[in-house]
Amino acid sequence: MRNLKLSVLVSALFLFVGFNANAQDANTILKKVDEVMYSPKDMTGKTKIVLIDKNGKQTTREANIIQKGTDKRIFRFTAPSSQAGIAVLSLPNDVMYLYMPAFNKERRISSSVKSQKFAGTDFSYDDMEAKPNALKYTPKLIKTEGNAYVLELTPKSKKSAYSKVIMKVHKTHYYPISAEFYDKGNKKVKDGKSVYKKIGKYWNAQEMSMTDLKKKHTTKMIMSNVKYDQNLFDSEFTVRKLKQ
Amino acid sequence: MNKFAKAIVKLKWLIIAAVIGLTLLFGYQLKNLTINSDIISSLPDDDPVAKLYKNIGSEFGGNDMGMIVLETDNIFTTQVLEHVKQITDSLKITEGISTVTSITDVLDIKTTEFGLEIGKLVDEYELPTTQAQLDSLKTYVFSKEMYKGSIVSEDATATLVLFTLLDDADKQEVAKEVKEKIEALDLPEKLYFGGLPMMMNDITFLIVADMVWLIPIVFILIAFILLLSFRSVRGVVFPLITAALAIVWTLGIMVLTGYEITIISNIIPIILFAVGSAYTIHVINSINLSVEKDRKKALIKALAFIIVPVILASVTTAIGFISFVFGAYLTMIRDFGIFTSLGTLIALVISIFFVPAVISAFSMYNKNTEQTNTNKKNILSNIILQPLANLLFKHPKYIFSVWGILIMISISAMFFIQTSVNMANYFKKDNPTRVAEDIMQKKFGGSMPIYIVFEGDMQNPEVLKLMKKTGDFMETDHNINTTQSVADLVEQMNDAMGEGKKIPDKKDKIEQLWFLLDGQEIMPQLVSDELDRGIIQSKFASIATSDIENFDKNMTKFIEENSTENCKIQLTGMPSVYVKLNRSLLSSQFSSLIIAIFMVLIIVGLILRSALKGIFAAVPVVATIIVLFGFMGITGIPLDIATVLVGSIALGIGIDYSIHVITGFNYKLKETGDVHKAIENTIMTSGKAIVINVVSVAAGFLVLLFSQLVPLQSFGLLVAISMFGSGLGSLTLLPVVLILANRKKKITVK
C-alpha cells in the first residue's frame, strides 16, 4: 500500500517536473512581459479615465500622456475643465512634481506611500509605476490555463500593499491579460484587466481597468492616438516643461 | 355572564384545540426571533433632528465607526507604535472593514523642504526607532490640531484606532471578529473597544444574557410563590401555563409582523410572567372559593363572578402599556407598549377561556373545597387580613392621614427627580462598553458625535469659509475639543501650495486642490459624492443636560445668523438627540399618565356604571404613583427610557387591585346589604388574591434587579414598589374611602 502511494507520488512529481521543464521558466516569462510592455523608446497618447462607482455612476477625465523609457512620464489633464492643465511629472527615483495652473505653481510631491490612490482612481501609485515587473516581483509559474500562463508574483519590497499578484500572461504574445491583487490577509482586493492591441510593432494596453473589490469601484483607462518612438528628448520631462 | 361562562364550558374542546393549534403556529415562529441592538434605529423619523442624525450617520459612515483605545504610559515608543501597527494591519484585513485610521496610518499633508507631501503621518514600514525620531514625531503630532486630542490623547498616554465598516457588512459579526482578533494579539497595553458597532455587539450579548438568566429565575420564583399560596399543583401549573402561552403567542406575533427584540422588549417575557399569571390566579382563586356542591355549577358560578373583574383588570393593564404609544420618542418603546399590551390581552383570553375549559374537560375541579378554605384562612387571613379589616373600621381617619402625609412628602420630593438619557449610563460600571465610554470621555473629549451639515457647493470658497468659521465658533465651547471638515484639509493644502493657511478666494484653486484630495479614504466621511453636502465632525465632552442645552442654544443662534441661500446649515448629533429625548421623557411621562388615568377612569366607570366608583378605584393607584415619584426623587433613581414606563404600568396593574376590591364590595353589598360586612368580606376574599398577586408580580419584577442593564434594574425595583403600594392602597386607602364616603352618603346598590 505504502509503496503504491509512494510510486504514485513519484510519478506525479516527474510529471510535474516534466511539465515545468517543457514550459518556460517563470522568470523568462516575466522578462518577456516587461519587454512587451516597456520596449518602446517613448510613447505619446491620450487617455480617458472613467470612474465607475458602485451604483454605476460614471465620471470621466481626460489626459495627455507622454512617456520615455520606463521612468519618465507626464500626465497632463485636459478634462474636466476644472482640472484641465493639472500635470504630474514622474522622474526616476520616485521624484514627482505636480503643477496646478490655478496657482501657476509647481510643487514637488512626495508619494512615500505608494499604496495611495493615484488622483482618485482605483490605481495606486504603485500600480501606475512603470517599473519593470521583474524588478518588483519574484515570479512563480503556477499553471497554464487556455492560452495563458498564470504567474504568482510576490512583491520584493516589504512596503508593497500586496501579499501576491496573480497575473495571467498571453502565451504567444506575452502581454498581461489580467492581474488579481491580494492583500496581506491573502484576500483578493483588486481585480485588474487589460486589452492589448498591436500598434505598429508594439503591443499597446488599449484599455486597462481596475476594480476595488471592497468598495465596488472601478476605474477604466482607455488609450487613443498612441504614437511610438518619436525620439522625445529628456528636456520634455522637466519642471519648466511641466508648466507649459 | 352566566351564559358566557356556560358557553365556555360547553365549547371546551374547541377552545383547547384552538389554543394548542395557535400555540404551535406561534411557537414555530420563535426560531426566527432576532435581536435588534441598534439604538440608532429606534430614533423617530418624525423628529427632524433625529432623522438627520440617522441619515448623516449612515451617509458619512459615523454610525458604522468602531474604535479601539490603546492605553499605556507613553504612546511615543517604538514598541507601542509597533503594536498600533499590528492592530491596524489586523483590522485592515478583516472582512467587512472598509478603512482604518490610526497613528501609524493616517493622512498627513505637510510642507517639506521640497514642496508638498501628501502621505502618511509615519511610514508604517519604517517606524521611528531613535529617541530623536520619536520626539520629533511627538512634537509634530501635538503641533497639529488634526491629531492632538483626537488620535493621541493630550497626555500622550492613549491613542485611537478608528475603523469604518462596509455598507453591506454584518456589523455584529465584524465587531465580534475584531474583538477576538485584537484580543488574540495579546498586547501588553490596555485596550478598550468603543463605537456603535462594538456597543451593539455588547448590547446583544446583554440582551441574550438577560433572557437566558432571568426568565428561568422568574419562572421558578413565581412557581414557588404560587405553590406557597395555593398548595396545589393546578394553582401553580395554570398561571404559569397562561403566562408561558401568552409569551409564546406575543413573541410569535412579533416575529410574524417583522419586529425584533430590543433592549426594552427583552423584558416582555418577564413582564408577562408577572402580569399574565395574575388573571389565572384570580380565576383559580374564585373557583377555589366557590362553595357550590355541584362541581360544574360551581365552576360556572365562579367564572361568572370573576370574568368582569378579570377583563377589567387586564384591559386596564393593557391600557397602561399602550399609553406609551402616544408619548414615546423612541420607536422601541412604542413597540414595547404595543406588544406588552397585546400579551396582556392574550393572557386574559387564555385565562378565561382556556383555563376553565381544561379544568372542565379533565374534571380538575377542586376536590375538597371546604378544607382548603379553612386551611387558607388560618395562614394568610388570620394574621394579615382580619387584623387589617379590624384596623380599618377602628381608625379609618388615621389610615387616611398616614397616606395623606406620605403623599405630601412625596409631592415635595418629586421636584428632585432627575433624568438620564446618556446611553453610557445604561451599562453597569464594570461593563466593557461603559468602561470604554469612560476612557473616551477622559482621554478624547467624549464619544458623543456632533455633525454640522452644510448643504451647498463644497468647492465654493464661501461655503468652505463658512465651514471654517463654524468650526472655530464650535471650538469656543469648552466641551468641544476639535472639529474636522474638508475645509481644514483645503486650508492645509493651500498652505502647502505656499499661499497660506486659509481657504483660497477662487473656486478654481479649490477645484485643483481637490485633485489631491480625491480618493483619499477620509473624503467620504466628510463630503458627499456629489459634493453638495459636507459635514463638520466633532465630539461633545459633557453629558450634563445643561451643557448640552447651552451648546444647542448657541449653535442654533449661530446657524440662524449664518445660514445663507447658497449654504444651508443644520445641527445634529447625539447631544441634540439627547436634548430631545430628555424633553420627551418628561412630556411622554406626563401624556402617557394622563391618557392612562383618563382611559382607566372611563372604562372602570362604565363597567361599574358609576363615575364615582371609577374615581374611587383610581385613588389608591394615583396615590401610589405620587409616592413612586417621591421615591424616585428621594433615592435619585432617574427618569430614563425604562423608568419612564413605570408610572403607567403601575397604574395599569395597580388599578386591578382596586377593581377587585370594588367589584367584590359591590357583589357582597348586593348579597348582604351591609357596608361593614361587605368590606370585611371583600378584604377576606379578594384581599387574599390581591396579596398573592402583589407578591408574585412584585417578585417577578424584582428579578430584573439581576438584569445587565441599569434602567431595567431600576424599572424592576420601581414596579415592585408600586405593586406593594397599590396593593396596600387598595386594601387600606380604598376601603377607608369607601367607609368614609358611605358615612356621608350611602352608596346605592343597583
Side-chain angles (χ1 to χ4, degrees):
Chain A
M1 252 336 246
R2 177 163 279 202
N3 273 340
L4 182 69
K5 264 191 185 166
L6 193 69
S7 66
V8 169
L9 191 72
V10 169
S11 50
L13 214 69
F14 268 110
L15 265 176
F16 188 68
V17 172
F19 156 77
N20 230 1
N22 278 340
Q24 300 186 49
D25 174 46
N27 280 309
T28 319
I29 297 172
L30 198 60
K31 285 222 172 78
K32 286 192 175 172
V33 170
D34 285 334
E35 273 169 32
V36 168
M37 286 175 80
Y38 303 118
S39 55
K41 273 190 281 182
D42 57 50
M43 185 265 287
T44 64
K46 277 189 174 169
T47 184
K48 192 166 140 188
I49 302 171
V50 185
L51 307 175
I52 306 161
D53 75 4
K54 64 179 173 204
N55 304 318
K57 204 179 73 97
Q58 298 195 358
T59 42
T60 309
R61 288 179 192 163
E62 282 166 31
N64 291 327
I65 302 180
I66 60 170
Q67 187 170 336
K68 189 178 180 191
T70 60
D71 49 15
K72 295 192 191 74
R73 178 162 60 190
I74 290 181
F75 244 92
R76 193 183 297 278
F77 287 84
T78 52
S81 59
S82 63
Q83 291 183 348
I86 293 181
V88 182
L89 165 68
S90 312
L91 293 171
N93 302 320
D94 294 336
V95 175
M96 266 201 306
Y97 286 91
L98 172 76
Y99 170 69
M100 291 197 184
F103 292 86
N104 191 26
K105 270 180 195 160
E106 87 292 337
R107 273 285 180 275
R108 181 167 164 186
I109 52 174
S110 154
S111 63
S112 62
V113 185
K114 296 253 184 92
S115 59
Q116 285 213 70
K117 290 176 169 190
F118 172 75
T121 67
D122 293 289
F123 293 90
S124 65
Y125 283 97
D126 206 6
D127 301 333
M128 293 292 293
E129 202 177 35
K131 197 169 168 182
N133 288 298
L135 294 179
K136 282 163 85 177
Y137 301 109
T138 311
K140 195 172 107 193
L141 179 64
I142 45 177
K143 61 180 172 186
T144 55
E145 200 180 275
N147 62 345
Y149 295 119
V150 182
L151 295 180
E152 184 183 295
L153 309 177
T154 311
K156 286 181 174 169
S157 162
K158 66 176 177 114
K159 287 195 177 194
S160 171
Y162 310 123
S163 63
K164 66 173 182 198
V165 181
I166 303 290
M167 184 188 270
K168 279 190 191 170
V169 176
H170 194 277
K171 249 179 167 177
T172 37
H173 302 304
Y174 293 99
Y175 55 75
I177 301 166
S178 68
E180 296 169 350
F181 299 82
Y182 287 78
D183 72 4
K184 294 196 169 154
N186 233 351
K187 191 172 175 283
K188 194 160 105 174
V189 284
K190 278 192 194 176
D191 221 340
K193 287 195 169 56
S194 51
V195 178
Y196 275 75
K197 212 179 161 186
K198 201 152 195 176
I199 297 180
K201 54 179 179 171
Y202 300 117
W203 284 98
N204 171 253
Q206 201 169 43
E207 186 177 321
M208 287 197 291
S209 75
M210 184 69 95
T211 301
D212 183 325
L213 298 172
K214 266 192 186 177
K215 302 198 171 100
K216 300 186 177 88
H217 195 278
T218 301
T219 303
K220 280 187 184 169
M221 288 198 189
I222 303 156
M223 293 294 297
S224 59
N225 287 21
V226 177
K227 287 180 191 139
Y228 287 115
D229 295 349
Q230 300 171 88
N231 291 320
L232 297 178
F233 294 112
D234 277 352
S235 59
E236 294 291 325
F237 300 89
T238 59
V239 175
R240 199 168 53 82
K241 283 280 176 184
L242 190 65
K243 284 184 164 187
Q244 291 166 4
Chain B
M1 283 304 134
N2 250 329
K3 269 189 206 162
F4 190 65
K6 275 182 190 159
I8 290 171
V9 174
K10 205 176 155 194
L11 296 173
K12 58 199 171 200
W13 290 110
L14 184 68
I15 292 168
I16 292 171
V19 168
I20 291 174
L22 284 172
T23 306
L24 289 177
L25 170 73
F26 294 131
Y28 183 69
Q29 301 300 325
L30 294 189
K31 68 181 174 60
N32 299 325
L33 195 63
T34 49
I35 291 174
N36 176 5
S37 52
D38 184 0
I39 301 169
I40 303 294
S41 72
S42 195
L43 294 177
D45 280 330
D46 54 9
D47 175 16
V49 172
K51 193 176 176 186
L52 186 65
Y53 180 69
K54 260 204 276 195
N55 292 346
I56 294 302
S58 55
E59 185 180 346
F60 295 96
N63 291 349
D64 299 331
M65 186 174 283
M67 45 195 120
I68 298 171
V69 182
L70 182 143
E71 193 194 15
T72 180
D73 307 336
N74 177 19
I75 294 304
F76 295 99
T77 68
T78 313
Q79 195 200 11
V80 173
L81 293 177
E82 180 59 44
H83 292 159
V84 174
K85 178 175 148 53
Q86 276 183 37
I87 294 174
T88 310
D89 288 349
S90 173
L91 292 178
K92 267 191 185 167
I93 57 170
T94 300
E95 190 101 14
I97 287 184
S98 167
T99 61
V100 185
T101 308
S102 71
I103 186 168
T104 61
D105 197 341
V106 60
L107 171 71
D108 187 50
I109 300 166
K110 59 181 152 216
T111 323
T112 64
E113 46 190 310
F114 308 111
L116 169 66
E117 178 167 342
I118 300 169
K120 297 287 163 92
L121 176 61
V122 294
D123 184 346
E124 57 176 324
Y125 299 103
E126 280 166 28
L127 295 175
T129 46
T130 66
Q131 196 52 48
Q133 285 172 328
L134 289 163
D135 286 344
S136 103
L137 175 64
K138 184 173 178 176
T139 314
Y140 184 71
V141 164
F142 284 130
S143 74
K144 278 200 144 182
E145 267 189 31
M146 261 179 90
Y147 309 128
K148 190 180 80 169
S150 68
I151 204 136
V152 178
S153 69
E154 294 198 26
D155 58 2
T157 61
T159 185
L160 262 185
V161 181
L162 297 159
F163 56 94
T164 54
L165 273 57
L166 291 170
D167 284 348
D168 50 2
D170 179 343
K171 294 180 196 175
Q172 304 225 30
E173 216 28 67
V174 177
K176 216 175 104 195
E177 207 189 324
V178 164
K179 217 167 169 179
E180 283 168 7
K181 266 182 147 176
I182 302 305
E183 276 168 358
L185 291 176
D186 201 22
L187 300 174
E189 295 84 10
K190 274 194 229 157
L191 296 176
Y192 308 89
F193 300 87
L196 212 55
M198 305 306 285
M199 193 193 258
M200 277 167 59
N201 190 42
D202 197 21
I203 289 175
T204 305
F205 175 77
L206 298 181
I207 288 175
V208 172
D210 267 8
M211 291 187 80
V212 168
W213 285 102
L214 301 186
I215 294 175
I217 296 179
V218 160
F219 184 86
I220 292 167
L221 194 68
I222 291 183
F224 182 68
I225 292 165
L226 291 173
L227 189 66
L228 273 188
S229 317
F230 286 108
R231 287 168 194 277
S232 70
V233 175
R234 67 169 195 189
V236 176
V237 171
F238 281 120
L240 288 179
I241 283 187
T242 307
L245 291 182
I247 292 165
V248 170
W249 288 27
T250 308
L251 297 183
I253 292 171
M254 274 180 79
V255 174
L256 280 176
T257 48
Y259 286 87
E260 294 175 302
I261 295 283
T262 63
I263 54 168
I264 287 292
S265 61
N266 70 335
I267 58 171
I268 288 181
I270 291 153
I271 292 182
L272 289 183
F273 257 121
V275 175
S277 56
Y279 313 128
T280 304
I281 292 176
H282 282 288
V283 170
I284 299 255
N285 190 47
S286 173
I287 295 169
N288 274 353
L289 293 176
S290 174
V291 288
E292 199 81 29
K293 284 281 175 242
D294 183 329
R295 286 167 177 178
K296 197 173 161 186
K297 264 191 191 163
L299 178 67
I300 291 171
K301 200 181 166 198
L303 210 49
F305 166 74
I306 205 70
I307 279 178
V308 171
V310 166
I311 289 179
L312 254 182
S314 63
V315 168
T316 49
T317 303
I319 287 172
F321 288 122
I322 207 102
S323 69
F324 309 134
V325 172
F326 308 101
Y329 181 75
L330 299 175
T331 55
M332 65 179 168
I333 290 187
R334 192 194 63 203
D335 302 341
F336 166 81
I338 293 171
F339 285 104
T340 328
S341 82
L342 180 71
T344 310
L345 296 177
I346 291 171
L348 164 75
V349 168
I350 290 168
S351 64
I352 61 173
F353 287 95
F354 182 66
V355 171
V358 172
I359 290 179
S360 123
F362 300 98
S363 299
M364 296 164 79
Y365 304 109
N366 207 355
K367 302 266 156 56
N368 39 9
T369 316
E370 294 292 324
Q371 210 197 332
T372 327
N373 265 346
T374 44
N375 196 9
K376 287 280 161 62
K377 249 178 199 158
N378 290 338
I379 299 161
L380 186 64
S381 317
N382 283 1
I383 299 168
I384 302 170
L385 297 175
Q386 191 63 54
L388 183 68
N390 294 342
L391 183 73
L392 287 180
F393 288 104
K394 242 190 232 166
H395 305 293
K397 284 185 180 162
Y398 284 169
I399 289 177
F400 202 72
S401 316
V402 170
W403 272 99
I405 292 167
L406 203 55
I407 286 170
M408 295 301 280
I409 295 172
S410 300
I411 287 178
S412 43
M414 270 163 66
F415 294 99
F416 299 102
I417 293 186
Q418 295 154 358
T419 53
S420 164
V421 288
N422 186 11
M423 293 293 174
N425 292 346
Y426 292 8
F427 300 92
K428 289 183 185 171
K429 284 222 161 62
D430 56 351
N431 174 283
T433 297
R434 173 81 178 258
V435 174
E437 282 294 309
D438 289 346
I439 205 93
M440 282 298 295
Q441 186 81 29
K442 226 166 71 195
K443 303 284 185 186
F444 297 100
S447 69
M448 283 198 295
I450 293 179
Y451 307 120
I452 314 285
V453 188
F454 293 77
E455 271 175 56
D457 178 3
M458 284 303 118
Q459 294 180 332
N460 180 324
E462 298 312 314
V463 173
L464 289 176
K465 280 177 184 168
L466 189 51
M467 274 183 124
K468 197 64 213 160
K469 186 178 167 191
T470 311
D472 290 344
F473 178 78
M474 287 168 77
E475 283 170 23
T476 59
D477 190 303
H478 65 273
N479 284 307
I480 301 273
N481 195 345
T482 56
T483 60
Q484 192 178 23
S485 73
V486 76
D488 299 328
L489 298 179
V490 170
E491 261 194 5
Q492 287 185 44
M493 307 273 285
N494 194 53
D495 190 27
M497 286 307 289
E499 309 223 327
K501 199 162 177 254
K502 61 184 183 63
I503 303 288
D505 289 323
K506 285 189 175 155
K507 188 177 170 176
D508 62 345
K509 286 189 177 175
I510 296 170
E511 284 173 337
Q512 299 202 346
L513 291 176
W514 218 271
F515 178 80
L516 291 165
L517 293 174
D518 252 346
Q520 293 293 345
E521 282 182 345
I522 195 162
M523 291 302 276
Q525 293 169 31
L526 298 176
V527 289
S528 66
D529 286 346
E530 260 70 47
L531 303 184
D532 56 353
R533 278 148 79 81
I535 56 170
I536 297 181
Q537 287 191 354
S538 187
K539 291 191 206 112
F540 200 74
S542 169
I543 50 165
T545 311
S546 57
D547 286 342
I548 295 173
E549 292 207 320
N550 193 35
F551 172 73
D552 206 78
K553 205 180 78 196
N554 291 340
M555 281 313 296
T556 308
K557 185 161 170 266
F558 177 88
I559 287 169
E560 259 173 37
E561 287 167 359
N562 289 279
S563 263
T564 64
E565 219 170 272
N566 295 328
C567 182
K568 199 176 136 205
I569 314 177
Q570 282 168 290
L571 163 71
T572 187
M574 218 49 203
S576 310
V577 171
Y578 280 166
V579 168
K580 290 272 187 164
L581 186 55
N582 199 39
R583 281 182 204 145
S584 82
L585 278 183
L586 295 170
S587 68
S588 102
Q589 178 71 87
F590 190 70
S591 66
S592 74
L593 266 182
I594 293 290
I595 290 166
I597 290 177
F598 191 66
M599 289 183 62
V600 163
L601 277 181
I602 288 179
I603 289 184
V604 175
L606 269 180
I607 294 192
L608 299 177
R609 295 199 201 109
S610 154
L612 194 64
K613 281 179 193 162
I615 292 168
F616 285 162
V619 167
V621 274
V622 172
T624 301
I625 289 169
I626 293 171
V627 172
L628 179 82
F629 287 137
F631 181 79
M632 288 173 77
I634 290 168
T635 55
I637 295 177
L639 207 56
D640 57 35
I641 56 165
T643 55
V644 73
L645 307 175
V646 174
S648 306
I649 293 178
L651 181 83
I653 307 176
I655 195 88
D656 299 0
Y657 307 140
S658 303
I659 292 169
H660 284 295
V661 169
I662 290 190
T663 47
F665 174 75
N666 263 3
Y667 198 79
K668 302 282 149 59
L669 194 60
K670 228 189 269 181
E671 266 183 354
T672 61
D674 178 19
V675 174
H676 191 112
K677 260 199 175 149
I679 285 186
E680 189 175 339
N681 236 320
T682 307
I683 289 177
M684 297 308 291
T685 56
S686 304
K688 199 182 142 240
I690 289 171
V691 171
I692 295 173
N693 191 263
V694 165
V695 172
S696 69
V697 172
F701 278 98
L702 279 177
V703 168
L704 286 174
L705 286 177
F706 300 107
S707 169
Q708 301 290 328
L709 292 155
V710 177
L712 298 186
Q713 292 179 326
S714 324
F715 173 80
L717 177 67
L718 293 177
V719 174
I721 286 172
S722 51
M723 288 305 98
F724 281 113
S726 47
L728 195 64
S730 69
L731 289 178
T732 57
L733 189 58
L734 181 57
V736 167
V737 169
L738 290 175
I739 291 168
L740 294 179
N742 273 288
R743 277 185 190 172
K744 287 178 190 149
K745 171 181 152 246
K746 277 266 174 206
I747 291 180
T748 49
V749 189
K750 278 182 188 163

